[in-house]
Amino acid sequence: MLKYAMIGGGPGAFVGEVHRTALALNGQAKLVAGCFSRDLEKTRTLGAELGVAEDRLYATPEELSRLEAGDIDFAVVVTSNEAHYPNVKACLENGIHVMCDKPFTHTSAQAEELVELARDRGVFLGVSYTYAGYPMVRQMREMILRGDIGAVRFINCEYPQGWLAEMLETTGHIQAEWRADPVRSGGTLSLGDVGSHIEYLVPHVTGLKVTRLAARLDSLVEGRLLDDNGTILTEYDTGARGMYWYSQAATGMVNGLKIRVFGETGGLEWFQEDPDILHHMPLGESARKIRRGTPDLTPGAMAYSHTPPGHPEGWLLAFANIYTSFCNTLVDGEAVDFPTGEDGVRGVRFMEVCLESSKNDTAWIDMT
Amino acid sequence: MLKYAMIGGGPGAFVGEVHRTALALNGQAKLVAGCFSRDLEKTRTLGAELGVAEDRLYATPEELSRLEAGDIDFAVVVTSNEAHYPNVKACLENGIHVMCDKPFTHTSAQAEELVELARDRGVFLGVSYTYAGYPMVRQMREMILRGDIGAVRFINCEYPQGWLAEMLETTGHIQAEWRADPVRSGGTLSLGDVGSHIEYLVPHVTGLKVTRLAARLDSLVEGRLLDDNGTILTEYDTGARGMYWYSQAATGMVNGLKIRVFGETGGLEWFQEDPDILHHMPLGESARKIRRGTPDLTPGAMAYSHTPPGHPEGWLLAFANIYTSFCNTLVDGEAVDFPTGEDGVRGVRFMEVCLESSKNDTAWIDMT
Amino acid sequence: MLKYAMIGGGPGAFVGEVHRTALALNGQAKLVAGCFSRDLEKTRTLGAELGVAEDRLYATPEELSRLEAGDIDFAVVVTSNEAHYPNVKACLENGIHVMCDKPFTHTSAQAEELVELARDRGVFLGVSYTYAGYPMVRQMREMILRGDIGAVRFINCEYPQGWLAEMLETTGHIQAEWRADPVRSGGTLSLGDVGSHIEYLVPHVTGLKVTRLAARLDSLVEGRLLDDNGTILTEYDTGARGMYWYSQAATGMVNGLKIRVFGETGGLEWFQEDPDILHHMPLGESARKIRRGTPDLTPGAMAYSHTPPGHPEGWLLAFANIYTSFCNTLVDGEAVDFPTGEDGVRGVRFMEVCLESSKNDTAWIDMT
Amino acid sequence: MLKYAMIGGGPGAFVGEVHRTALALNGQAKLVAGCFSRDLEKTRTLGAELGVAEDRLYATPEELSRLEAGDIDFAVVVTSNEAHYPNVKACLENGIHVMCDKPFTHTSAQAEELVELARDRGVFLGVSYTYAGYPMVRQMREMILRGDIGAVRFINCEYPQGWLAEMLETTGHIQAEWRADPVRSGGTLSLGDVGSHIEYLVPHVTGLKVTRLAARLDSLVEGRLLDDNGTILTEYDTGARGMYWYSQAATGMVNGLKIRVFGETGGLEWFQEDPDILHHMPLGESARKIRRGTPDLTPGAMAYSHTPPGHPEGWLLAFANIYTSFCNTLVDGEAVDFPTGEDGVRGVRFMEVCLESSKNDTAWIDMT
């Protein structure tokens, strides 16, 4: 099993926990070291909870980055955006593979420097653009690659959210505060936060490169200092055209990432809020709903699929919830709400009675 | 952290792996012992993979069940259905808490015996009806409990699947074979496999008890020995009425569990293939889409919610997929397909260019 | 052009107006005679509005039914249900073809008598089950007929409405009052009103005949004298099985007629609230959305299609609404809200400016 | 009843027939004169079919336009686009009210001239932008007007179609041919055909005026001379921003007009392919599905609604289809497929049997 260290992701940090959960699900790597916070006490408290050995909890990322290659296999950097650059750099300089949260760095000069460094030291460097991990995004990519829709002509990709339709940054809302601060965010609010997902997804799925763009960034909410909405016209190396729209001020929208790709012989559409379906519209034929887990899947999409068709992947979390109630019961010695043996008895009896009724020409059976 | 043992769930057993993954996600318990297979070699191989100590891998469930209370906190029983009864019994007799896969036992006499036993020994006994773990099922239950739709009048619950629309049991299909065998399955095919989820879900959500039922079980596929479809009329202790339909021969249906509850002042509908939405239809008003993670959630539903609104819970698995590609790269020393630092560079540059274009009145910027 | 008379459908009668509108749309027949109401004055007022000659407006259906064959081609009977029998009978006895609203008569003896009579006199007798007129219902019928899903095994047809979830019949609500009255309605409330559509649709679409049934009719709303909900188990002449559910007390449901037919090699699903789509689920393949107006349509479905694909058929009514505003403007000499020449100017200018901007590399153009 | 003349709309012309059907549905006006084609014979043949008096069928629009005010109330101009200008002009000069098909004229100078003329002569001039006629578009307009979503901040309006994803204009496809011809179409293909609907809809619904725009028009299909796709950035008089996308080369899209308006306190979304629903997303609350025909409707939306809630407006056309089969039966004297009295008998018997079964505790009843 691989061993990893985490920089950032202290108590209450949402994204750090997501990375740890993803790695737990994945089952290939184990957390063995951490510098979760600038406050060593916080790092120690969380480290204890997570079962990290005390001598592998560090006050600064620099100390952590001096771990030997044998001690850890890779580091996960999930600090606030402005600290990505120095932390990733420290790790790479010490020959440690890195997975960094997105957006990567504040400037492209910094980003290029890190990539150079990784190349020099011969280590791997990743940036966690989550949406590439969806099975049906992989399906879309592989279908386009194998020519299912012919040459791509036009791409419409949008990512509207609505949670910043109010001026949250002045209300003490932590997530809004640093994102909306020109200094800490690196000069963009929503372009960095959600537009960046569009930027990654389109070339990932289509294989095209942007050659030219024109953008209008808007601050729709009065008083906001940075962009909360934007429209971008694009042109690609094949002559294809595109348009992107991102927003965090689209009142009432939740997390509406949608990508539509139109080619010579078909169209494809994927919507993140209904992620198990890829809509395929072949020229001149009825549209098809390609579903995760079914025989129409490409090998890459099949490899990324964890649950049977029709079982949303959150089904695993439903399972986990049952165990949470059960474990809480054991810890507290008092039954919390989970399906019990009594429920099991009732269930078995129900089946027996159904069989009996059915054998008797649908006779009514009393169950009291 | 709690310690658990697993009985069943050997190499290739789907449901055992689901239980282990759910517990990994949950993070409250650690696998410390196992009797995964009747073949000790297989148990040893899998145990090594899962990091279980060699002296905690057993040839028979009986040996495992003799573990001391201090050694494990609970056992998970995920054998084939006919072995649930003896295995659960052995654990309970030795004072071990148990979570058993569903359906529980072959007969209600067996089920009652186990419940009695658990009560005698003062241990907890659970049956893993997954759907109770969905946040919006919890929401439905709590809304009904607090009177949001008034007294319940009618329930329509259906669970159509289509994967047994063909005679798979004679083609060597393992999943179909034991389920369709009158002896191994316990006398029902689809009633036990999917009908049982309806049976659990309706009282769980509504609080009602079935007082009388009439059932017609069908074998729609020619040559099939057991039921693959069924319709059940129900009556409840409050006078409410209901109907259930389950099927595994509904050609083309995937996993269509849907529950609709109609009360005096409103209706509620939940569909498992779109699990983050609960449709609420208040009498005389426009229907509402209540969404996981939003302020309209009840406390129980909120506690069961793992990702932000609009991010399907499978989003965590997308994250895990990224890490799978990354870990495989590290293991093999060869870059597999994951978002790289180069992608990160391109992303940062994209943002810089968007800002520049926007500052220049949406001027086109060359990116080549 | 054919000539028709109408019996019933007086001022304020919803269904009579629907029949007249349908015939206006159809364009094959012209209203030339009427006995719209038991009150001759009302018949005369409405007749004048509708352009019917004064001497063709009658005090009683009997008088009307004595019209000569040359004077009218057929009669439309849209009275309240209890008057269907005598009115249809009078017309048939006088050799007049009849289209009668559904449900047909109070007793099957009456219904059989009328059919016999029509046969004797050699005239045509229709009953207006609307849903047979939907293009995609026709598609479903023709696909099943030509074997697209193999032999039918199971049918699930449901028709839930919610408008009678309250005790409207005692509040002076006219539509509810006669329907809920045991005498005037003929002994059923919702079975006659909505269940009857299921009864017609299933054999129409599948070609199967019900050989045996078991039904439970419910009065879910306290105080109601007749059924407002019902579940019916069916068996068909081929051995296929089915279940029907109808309701007018399903709180919050609107007009949810849905039919699902499962065959050996595929499933089909049609939902009345999304009528232009037929879902086809071929065994082992991705589901298809067959859309009204496209090349996948059967000849019968194509013949029933009035607007281009993707234009819901209500599009014609949107058009009609524009003309309503325009005509009202002409009648009143005062501009009501409709798209004007000024709007047209703005539209043409918009296009000119778009072309200019596009020719100038997406330059911004001032429009003020 | 008003009297109208039609210019254009000859045999086989789709849009002319749509206007006539809309006026038939509307019931306020009667066709009394026509110049349907440049070929008088064709005008005479169609005129006879439509019941227009022979002396009211004209060889040229000019002759028709000399009709006296008392003879007709208004003219409908549905010729090809390039003939709109002279024909509308002729009518207006003779004091005749006009409804003209869209797009209005080739140049805005022409359009302005016609508007001036109408103003001078004191006659009404309309342009038939259909989508303004949808009840839920009216609802959207009235909700925004009364402040339901606060000040509008951003508008996203798109209209993708896919029928021109192939080079149809060189295959003899009549509809494609004239639209794609730079001369006959007036210089744009899809901007005029579908983009024009967006242009009208946005100010109609929001009350905003475009002050500045930047557009990129694309020819996505190789060899095409005009635009088949376009993206337009807009700014409005209140400072609100917007983006439009139209396409006829979006492979697989059918008729995807969608408008989304985001305001300070809520968002609204309407999709033409599901026209009876308006999605309302109030800030911080669960989204609502406002449905045509329900109590949440504004007065204007209610006035435009023709069928009960849940009955798509195409329901009237389903009705009309039944009558078509019936009328064809009468004309041919041979039963075509329509619901017959025999169907009625079976239906009444079904209800009797259901009642009997239900009275006998859901007993099975033989129907053979």
Side-chain angles (χ1 to χ4, degrees), chain A residues 153-154 156 158 160 162 164-166 214-222 229-235 239-245 247 249-253 258 260-269 281-283 287 361-364, chain D residues 153-154 156 158 160 162 164-166 214-222 229-235 239-245 247 249-253 258 260-269 281-283 287 361-364:
Chain A
R153 288 168 171 165
F154 193 77
N156 181 320
E158 66 179 34
L164 288 171
E166 291 175 286
R216 180 187 60 187
L217 276 53
D218 310 307
S219 295
L220 297 181
V221 174
E222 221 187 305
N229 189 82
T231 314
I232 303 161
L233 306 187
T234 53
E235 293 177 11
R241 304 273 173 111
M243 54 160 296
Y244 304 165
W245 171 49
S247 188
T251 322
M253 298 304 282
K258 179 185 280 183
R260 290 178 280 184
V261 179
F262 303 100
E264 291 169 330
T265 59
L268 289 168
E269 176 178 328
M281 302 166 287
L283 185 67
D361 208 15
T362 319
W364 284 100
Chain D
R153 287 169 171 165
F154 194 75
N156 182 319
E158 66 179 34
L164 288 171
E166 291 175 288
R216 180 187 60 188
L217 275 53
D218 310 307
S219 296
L220 297 181
V221 175
E222 221 188 305
N229 189 82
T231 314
I232 303 161
L233 307 186
T234 52
E235 294 177 10
R241 304 273 172 111
M243 54 160 296
Y244 303 165
W245 171 49
S247 188
T251 323
M253 298 302 282
K258 180 184 278 184
R260 290 178 281 183
V261 179
F262 302 100
E264 292 169 330
T265 59
L268 289 168
E269 175 177 329
M281 302 165 288
L283 184 67
D361 208 16
T362 320
W364 283 101

Side-chain angles (χ1 to χ4, degrees), chain C residues 159-163 250 252-256 273, chain D residues 291-292 294 308-311:
Chain C
Y159 196 161
Q161 294 184 335
W163 68 282
M253 298 303 281
V254 185
N255 197 45
E273 295 186 16
Chain D
R291 193 183 274 273
R292 190 182 52 70
T294 57
H311 296 70

Side-chain angles (χ1 to χ4, degrees), chain B residues 153-154 156 158 165 216 218 229 231 233-235 241-243 245 250-251 253 260 262-263 266 361-362 364, chain C residues 153-154 156 158 165 216 218 229 231 233-235 241-243 245 250-251 253 260 262-263 266 361-362 364:
Chain B
R153 288 170 172 163
F154 193 76
N156 182 321
E158 66 179 35
R216 180 186 61 186
D218 309 309
N229 188 82
T231 314
L233 307 187
T234 52
E235 293 177 11
R241 303 272 173 113
M243 54 159 296
W245 171 49
T251 323
M253 298 302 283
R260 290 178 280 183
F262 302 100
D361 208 15
T362 320
W364 284 101
Chain C
R153 287 169 172 165
F154 193 75
N156 181 320
E158 66 178 34
R216 180 187 61 187
D218 310 308
N229 189 82
T231 314
L233 307 187
T234 52
E235 293 177 11
R241 305 273 172 113
M243 54 160 296
W245 171 48
T251 323
M253 298 303 281
R260 289 178 280 184
F262 302 100
D361 208 14
T362 320
W364 284 101

